[in-house]
Amino acid sequence: MTTQSAAGMPAPMRFTVDSWDPAYGSSLEFEDDLSESTARVIVGAEVPEDQWRPIPAAPATSGPSALLFVDGVRRIEARVWIDGSPPSPTDPGASAAMCASYAAGVLCCCAAGAHLLTTQTRRGLFTIAPHAADVVTSTGTYRASKTSPSPAVSLPMTLSAALQRRLGDLELATAVAARGGLNGHAGPPESDLLVIDGPLRGRQHLPRAIGFIKSHRTSYLPPPLHAMVAALADGERTPVFLMGTSWDRHAWYLRLPCPPGAPWSGIVRIECSADLPRADVITLASMSQATLCRYASTEYKDPRAPQNLYPIAGLERELRRRLGDPRLLYRALRSAAVA
Amino acid sequence: MTDQLNALGPAAARPLAAQITARERQPAGDAVDSQPAGAATGPPAPGGVTAVGRVLGTEDATPLMFSVALNQDAYLQLDDVVVTVRAVPGVGPVMTAGVVTQVRARHEGASFGSDVFLISEGVLPAHVQEIAEVTTTRVEPECYVPPRPGELARRATGIERAQALYFDDMDHKVPVGLGRDGSPMYVNLDFIDGTRGAHVSISGISGVATKTSFALFLLHSIFRSGVLGARAVNAKALIFSVKGEDLLFLDHANKRLDDDLRDKYARLGLPAEPFASAGFFAPPLPGDLSGRPHVAGRTGGVTAFWWTLAEFCSRELLPYVFADAEDDRNQYTMVVHQVAARLRRDAGPAGTDGAVVIDGDTVRTYDEMVDLIVDKLSDEATRPDWAGPVTGLGTINAFIRRLRSSLRALRTVIRGDLPDAPGREISTGNQQVTVVDLHNLPERAQRFVVGVVLAAETARKEAAGPGSLLFTMIDELNKYAPREGSSPIKDVLLDVAERGRSLGIILIGAQQTASEVERRIVANSSIKIVGRLDPAEAARPEYGFLAASQRARATLAKPGAMFVSQPEIPVPLAVEFPFPAWATRLSESVPPPPAAVSRPAGDVFSRLPRPTDKPDPADDDIPPF
Ligand SMILES: Nc1ncnc2c1ncn2[C@@H]1O[C@H](COP(=O)(O)OP(=O)(O)O)[C@@H](O)[C@H]1O
Ligand SMILES: [Mg+2]
Ligand SMILES: [Zn+2]
């Protein structure tokens, strides 16, 4: 196949598609705090440590006019090998790369119901090969996205992180676009709340935005407070605390309504910007209690219940559908490689 | 075939061709930006017709059946006519047209029944998608390829609708009602009048299926739409009425005729008028010796009909007395024919009222006739002559029992005691529509009358040769031509069903259940119509011509709604025919001016509707016959 080089010169890039199962690796979770067990935590952001108690949901404050759920999905379509070009003694072999599809979208829950606002779908070739070019197939073009290798991180991890960054960018762009396109369809401007599935990192600057973290690998709170999380009743939250890893944010734990089970079942962590005034943070925290619980899923419908909120599950399904049929995409990649 | 497509003229050709060139290619999956949430809204199809959706790709599209996913702002309903066009390499544009036979809507994105609550609470996103199943009626040119998923589909109107339903090919269109879209639906006359097929079979539940009403509407349409041209002058209808006096007012306007109804007739190109030329026959009033007709509601214009004993003997009408199912199982058929032959030979006229003399005895009534026959069969001297030489006594006695049991039924219509009246013989000669009211007669007498009249009309038509049409409408056909057994009447009907096409006798049969009617009659009917059906009945193979959804719908059909199947169109048409413009009971009747009430004997011609064309002098049967 032929592709366009940056200079506009036709430059052949030869590649082959690995016959591995493309499903492999697609389940890699990219919680940002994989290696962040050493977080700085300031527990007294809302109340002093000795006054930490479960906080019940405040009686109905006027909630947001619309909840905008933001999510993204990614799927690795194939691992490819890009031939060295030009072949040289220093670059003798082929370079491993990956072709992936990703999509981001925003779902609005407002008086009009739960409806999709916007979605964006992309395909990318993630590689460290400097001469990599776009991969054009009959089912779409995988835009070359070049990353520098890092000696400390494995290549698959590097590529995967690059993909995750692109997805994050796309989520951000989609969220901003969706908000811009609301045109007050759900109440007065600035009365909405953005709920981002996953950490808020990179998006702290968005107004009225919270991050929604479903799974917990690390305990950030000191042991007695940590134990209190397990004691939260349905709809209760912990006081707000400040936490800093590679980035800073406010956070609190919330228990979504669910049948009694494991100590941390139904617990989610919610984040908002570290820069917000204390009052605004507390408003967001009680708003999260008042609004999110009604979206909690039930276990017979969703194995990730209740944390996998219905709107997010629905949005994810819509986005996955938009990625296209993986078998078709894989086949197209293979024939593009042969061509 | 391509020529045929071109022959549609620029109006049709433009949208077809334009659509193909303007068909947008789906972007190939790369950076599909900012889709508006999958909520398809109708792109205006080229040529000004708005597409309602696109051919579905998640289910197989086939040349004979395909589905259309509908735009959010569009809908299709059952019976809508839809077209889609695709390009076929080397052939050009191929149009596939069809009729919507099912429409469904579902929540996409929901997997549990209870999700609907979450969706309506605004918690779970979902998309309502409506999908219409289209059963193909026509592929033009005849290149049987499936419509391509993604192709635009649009409602067919005007010439495309006509094409889809083959109306464009019909030289002689009979309006049969309005489609769901308010436009007329047609049946090809060629399949009624014997040109390419004949006979009409109408099925449905009594009282709601509007079978009789539709049969009359069909006659009105055939006679008055102009489709018969010059043949309208000589076209006749013979109607046997078994349900009340409903049909005795069809020459009176209906009081319920309003502007709305007039408009429906106008849209069908039909006058909203009663039958202008009609004659009515009813049996004589029992016990009355002046020969007045036995009717209650209608005071004038009804003629009493009966057969004289002389006719009974000379025409050998006795077999029609033995036309019940139980007669078929018995051995006495030989006796029936023997006695009938005897009567023909031995009966001589007595007086002027149709009485007869047999072996010196004068017979004036049916009772006397039965007594005489019984005597002849009981007397050992005459028995061999009357019953045939080898007939056993048991058989003879069975015959006698059956003969005696016919007294009550037939004594009013077989007479030698009424002053002969010139118009008493049932004849279609003097009017366009002849109604024979049987509802006051027992079933056995009804069968006798239908059998005798039909046999006579068949013989008359046979003698006259083809050229004019006689539409014969028989209600409760299953009583005359049941599926099982044989009888003289069934023979007449089978004869009509099988030869009527060439004789110009068209059978319009109505029955509650087609499954009870002789198979060969149903099979010989080119036009099959159903109104509301009983659910168990709808499942029978007799209704296999209905699409699955139509079978289900037929069990819900409202009065006035019919499914009309004709050989050329693969899907039966759902039509609604207008309420009768003529009175169907006394209370609806707007009586015509008094002068027209009684049938003026000499002025038959003036009461026939005047068709625009001059009658062809070569036609036979120029009235009066
Ligand atoms: N086109 C029509 N629309 C609505 N109702 C009708 C229509 N034609 C007839 N009807 C009503 O339906 C009733 C039954 O019709 P009929 O033809 O006698 O049914 P069937 O012959 O099936 O027993 C009639 O008395 C009349 O009131
Ligand atoms: Mg009827
Ligand atoms: Zn909304």
Side-chain angles (χ1 to χ4, degrees):
Chain A
M1 67 165 280
T2 36
T3 53
Q4 298 291 120
S5 77
M9 296 269 293
M13 178 190 84
R14 301 205 55 86
F15 71 97
T16 48
V17 175
D18 208 346
S19 58
W20 70 327
D21 175 6
Y24 167 78
S26 60
S27 61
L28 273 179
E29 288 280 337
F30 276 83
E31 295 286 336
D32 73 328
D33 32 32
L34 273 177
S35 54
E36 296 182 32
S37 46
T38 53
R40 293 161 290 112
V41 172
I42 303 169
V43 295
E46 186 173 358
V47 294
E49 181 170 354
D50 56 0
Q51 288 172 32
W52 264 54
R53 311 263 182 284
I55 302 174
T61 52
S62 69
S65 59
L67 278 181
L68 304 180
F69 291 93
V70 183
D71 197 8
V73 298
R74 40 174 277 177
R75 187 177 65 211
I76 296 169
E77 306 294 359
R79 195 164 67 166
V80 299
W81 295 94
I82 298 173
D83 291 358
S85 171
S88 74
T90 51
D91 181 13
S95 162
M98 76 187 187
C99 286
S101 306
Y102 54 103
V106 179
L107 182 91
C108 175
C109 289
C110 66
H115 60 104
L116 217 46
L117 279 180
T118 174
T119 65
Q120 305 218 3
T121 308
R122 297 279 188 280
R123 304 194 199 283
L125 167 67
F126 296 90
T127 174
I128 53 165
H131 62 280
D134 295 353
V135 173
V136 181
T137 77
S138 59
T139 55
T141 298
Y142 296 77
R143 300 252 170 255
S145 178
K146 295 165 209 170
T147 314
S148 358
S150 140
V153 186
S154 74
L155 179 57
M157 201 52 97
T158 303
L159 299 179
S160 201
L163 167 58
Q164 195 61 26
R165 273 195 306 278
R166 281 302 165 95
L167 178 56
D169 295 346
L170 189 61
E171 285 180 25
L172 181 62
T174 312
V176 171
R179 240 185 188 170
L182 266 185
N183 288 330
H185 99 265
E190 318 211 331
S191 61
D192 55 352
L193 175 66
L194 207 61
V195 182
I196 294 168
D197 190 38
L200 195 60
R201 185 171 61 174
R203 293 164 283 202
Q204 304 97 300
H205 62 284
L206 288 174
R208 304 179 310 286
I210 56 176
F212 182 87
I213 292 109
K214 297 190 277 280
S215 51
H216 316 281
R217 295 211 175 80
T218 312
S219 42
Y220 297 103
L221 294 173
L225 303 187
H226 184 80
M228 199 194 89
V229 174
L232 291 174
D234 285 0
E236 285 181 344
R237 68 169 171 93
T238 63
V240 177
F241 53 95
L242 252 173
M243 61 182 273
T245 51
S246 52
W247 56 292
D248 294 345
R249 70 279 205 188
H250 285 106
W252 60 94
Y253 287 102
L254 166 68
R255 186 188 298 274
L256 297 171
C258 67
W264 276 59
S265 66
I267 299 291
V268 292
R269 193 178 79 239
I270 297 172
E271 301 177 343
C272 73
S273 164
D275 302 332
L276 285 179
R278 182 171 165 273
D280 289 2
V281 173
I282 292 169
T283 306
L284 277 179
S286 48
M287 205 186 259
S288 72
Q289 285 176 282
T291 53
L292 293 183
C293 288
R294 82 181 268 249
Y295 297 100
S297 51
T298 42
E299 74 281 9
Y300 71 92
K301 289 190 179 185
D302 191 328
R304 292 184 288 166
Q307 288 99 317
N308 203 31
L309 301 181
Y310 280 128
I312 290 173
L315 175 57
E316 212 179 287
R317 197 160 50 221
E318 288 293 326
L319 293 173
R320 289 217 175 278
R321 192 157 70 81
R322 281 166 170 73
L323 295 183
D325 180 32
R327 289 165 305 173
L328 203 65
L329 291 160
Y330 184 65
R331 199 164 65 203
L333 272 169
R334 291 205 75 134
S335 44
V338 171
Chain B
M1 273 307 165
T2 323
D3 290 341
Q4 229 170 312
L5 193 65
N6 295 338
L8 299 175
R14 201 184 321 109
L16 306 195
Q19 191 187 337
I20 296 220
T21 46
R23 197 178 125 237
E24 65 266 49
R25 292 239 141 264
Q26 287 283 358
D30 169 58
V32 187
D33 273 345
S34 301
Q35 294 168 344
T41 45
V49 197
T50 310
V52 288
R54 289 180 187 274
V55 175
L56 193 71
T58 43
E59 281 164 27
D60 293 347
T62 72
L64 302 181
M65 174 106 70
F66 59 96
S67 295
V68 174
L70 296 170
N71 297 329
Q72 288 304 297
D73 55 0
Y75 73 94
L76 281 177
Q77 60 171 327
L78 292 175
D79 310 320
D80 274 343
V81 187
V82 174
V83 292
T84 176
V85 179
R86 62 164 287 187
V88 175
V91 176
V94 170
M95 176 198 84
T96 306
V99 169
V100 175
T101 42
Q102 189 58 283
V103 204
R104 52 189 205 269
R106 62 155 53 229
H107 263 147
E108 291 185 341
S111 31
F112 295 89
S114 55
D115 283 353
V116 68
F117 299 109
L118 296 174
I119 291 159
S120 42
E121 283 159 18
V123 166
L124 184 67
H127 175 72
V128 177
Q129 183 59 54
E130 293 190 23
I131 291 169
E133 172 202 272
V134 180
T135 302
T136 300
T137 51
R138 190 162 181 178
V139 179
E140 199 65 65
E142 274 188 45
C143 174
Y144 283 90
V145 289
R148 304 259 299 204
E151 294 289 4
L152 292 172
R154 60 181 183 271
R155 247 193 206 88
T157 52
I159 186 164
E160 278 189 339
R161 176 183 184 272
Q163 250 196 311
L165 303 176
Y166 296 83
F167 298 158
D168 62 328
D169 270 359
M170 294 183 188
D171 291 332
H172 306 286
K173 295 186 288 188
V174 181
V176 287
L178 295 169
R180 198 60 53 125
D181 56 2
S183 302
M185 293 287 203
Y186 301 95
V187 159
N188 194 343
L189 181 69
D190 289 357
F191 290 102
I192 299 179
D193 71 0
T195 311
R196 288 200 276 166
H199 310 313
V200 179
S201 167
I202 311 176
S203 308
I205 299 176
S206 209
V208 277
T210 53
K211 302 182 296 292
T212 312
S213 307
F214 184 77
L216 284 169
F217 173 78
L218 185 63
L219 288 173
H220 178 70
S221 183
I222 292 170
F223 289 156
R224 301 300 298 277
S225 63
V227 70
L228 285 177
R231 289 192 293 167
V233 180
N234 290 318
K236 300 295 173 78
L238 173 62
I239 298 170
F240 295 99
S241 167
V242 291
K243 217 181 70 185
E245 298 192 349
D246 293 14
L247 303 186
L248 291 185
F249 303 96
L250 50 74
D251 57 343
H252 295 189
N254 195 320
K255 274 185 190 153
R256 294 167 68 174
L257 187 63
D258 54 11
D259 287 344
D260 186 43
L261 190 52
R262 260 185 216 101
D263 172 62
K264 285 183 183 155
Y265 277 90
R267 272 189 279 160
L268 291 163
L270 296 172
E273 292 169 9
F275 288 84
S277 168
F280 302 92
F281 290 91
L285 193 63
D288 171 72
L289 286 180
S290 62
R292 276 182 295 162
H294 186 186
V295 284
R298 187 169 176 135
T299 48
V302 184
T303 313
F305 71 87
W306 68 89
W307 285 269
T308 63
L309 288 166
E311 286 161 350
F312 184 78
C313 296
S314 66
R315 296 195 204 160
E316 294 192 60
L317 301 185
L318 185 68
Y320 297 100
V321 176
F322 297 87
D324 289 16
E326 64 181 279
D327 297 311
D328 179 46
R329 289 189 294 272
N330 276 290
Q331 312 288 314
Y332 47 67
T333 319
M334 273 310 298
V335 186
V336 173
H337 289 283
Q338 194 73 24
V339 172
R342 205 70 252 167
L343 289 173
R344 177 168 51 86
R345 254 177 285 142
D346 294 359
T352 55
D353 292 344
V356 289
V357 192
I358 297 168
D359 290 345
D361 297 320
T362 301
V363 179
R364 309 191 61 86
T365 63
Y366 186 65
D367 289 62
E368 287 170 19
M369 171 71 80
V370 169
D371 286 343
L372 179 129
I373 296 170
V374 172
D375 287 349
K376 297 290 184 196
L377 290 172
S378 310
D379 186 335
E380 276 177 34
T382 50
R383 186 186 299 142
D385 254 7
W386 282 75
V390 293
T391 310
L393 256 185
T395 307
I396 291 173
N397 286 334
F399 170 82
I400 290 175
R401 276 196 300 279
R402 274 299 284 163
L403 182 65
R404 282 199 186 284
S405 69
S406 73
L407 281 173
R408 192 184 68 83
L410 292 169
R411 62 166 63 104
T412 52
V413 292
I414 300 168
R415 312 290 289 254
D417 56 348
L418 293 180
D420 205 357
R424 73 166 164 83
E425 198 168 351
I426 296 172
S427 153
T428 57
N430 292 332
Q431 59 282 321
Q432 187 161 48
V433 176
T434 304
V435 177
V436 183
D437 175 24
L438 303 176
H439 87 278
N440 276 324
L441 291 177
E443 273 192 26
R444 196 157 174 198
Q446 293 181 352
R447 269 192 277 273
F448 179 85
V449 174
V450 171
V452 172
V453 171
L454 266 189
E457 287 295 326
T458 311
R460 198 182 59 78
K461 288 289 291 178
E462 204 158 14
S468 65
L469 295 172
L470 173 67
F471 297 91
T472 309
M473 197 211 133
I474 301 188
D475 238 328
E476 304 190 42
L477 185 60
N478 50 305
K479 284 190 189 161
Y480 306 97
R483 174 146 298 183
E484 310 300 337
S486 67
S487 77
I489 291 154
K490 186 166 163 181
D491 291 346
V492 173
L493 284 166
L494 264 172
D495 192 36
V496 170
E498 277 158 8
R499 289 193 310 134
R501 220 181 120 178
S502 46
L503 292 178
I505 304 184
I506 312 305
L507 192 63
I508 302 180
Q511 60 275 324
Q512 289 214 49
T513 54
S515 53
E516 283 172 14
V517 175
E518 163 61 37
R519 267 204 187 81
R520 279 175 293 167
I521 293 185
V522 178
N524 266 305
S525 300
S526 295
I527 311 294
K528 297 184 178 73
I529 297 166
V530 299
R532 186 177 187 127
L533 284 181
D534 175 79
E537 178 72 5
R540 290 181 192 274
E542 279 76 11
Y543 307 98
F545 60 88
L546 293 175
S549 66
Q550 290 181 326
R551 283 185 185 218
R553 272 169 72 204
T555 66
L556 309 169
K558 288 184 312 179
M562 316 296 282
F563 295 92
V564 180
S565 157
Q566 54 188 314
E568 268 176 326
I569 311 183
V571 183
L573 302 177
V575 306
E576 277 182 32
F577 71 96
F579 198 83
W582 44 92
T584 62
R585 52 182 66 103
L586 183 60
S587 59
E588 286 175 348
S589 163
V590 181
V597 170
S598 63
R599 197 154 51 88
D603 191 22
V604 198
F605 252 113
S606 67
R607 300 188 61 225
L608 283 173
R610 299 246 166 251
T612 41
D613 310 72
K614 282 251 180 298
D616 183 350
D619 273 353
D620 70 330
D621 277 9
I622 302 279
F625 311 109

